[in-house]
Amino acid sequence: MRDYHINLFYSDEDGGYIADIPDLEFCSAFGATPEEALREVLKAKEAWLAVAREEGGPIPPPRYKPVIYQTA
């Protein structure tokens, strides 16, 4: 089963970790630790999908687009 890709990164500006799901517009969360940010974004994902279902809105399929960084 495929699921939505989650970005997780530390934000100096916010002083904590941000998790977001690029395929679900505006679906993101904050946490003091990476684990907390991940827990929170999973809650946000469920809420995002529930609202989309209730409102009959489109639910985008999960797409994984890895970014490959190369070092010189």
Side-chain angles (χ1 to χ4, degrees):
M1 180 179 143
R2 293 178 57 195
D3 203 351
Y4 293 101
H5 175 75
I6 297 172
N7 294 318
L8 182 61
F9 58 93
Y10 184 79
S11 170
D12 286 326
E13 183 177 332
D14 296 310
Y17 291 85
I18 306 294
D20 76 318
I21 301 174
D23 290 334
L24 304 179
E25 190 172 13
F26 306 118
C27 186
S28 64
F30 174 85
T33 65
E35 295 82 8
E36 182 181 2
L38 180 59
R39 275 194 309 272
E40 294 301 316
V41 82
L42 292 174
K43 291 179 193 175
K45 177 184 86 168
E46 293 308 316
W48 195 105
L49 294 172
V51 169
R53 282 187 212 101
E54 289 172 10
E55 295 179 355
I59 297 176
R63 293 176 294 181
Y64 178 64
K65 296 180 183 177
V67 176
I68 299 170
Y69 295 99
Q70 296 181 355
T71 57

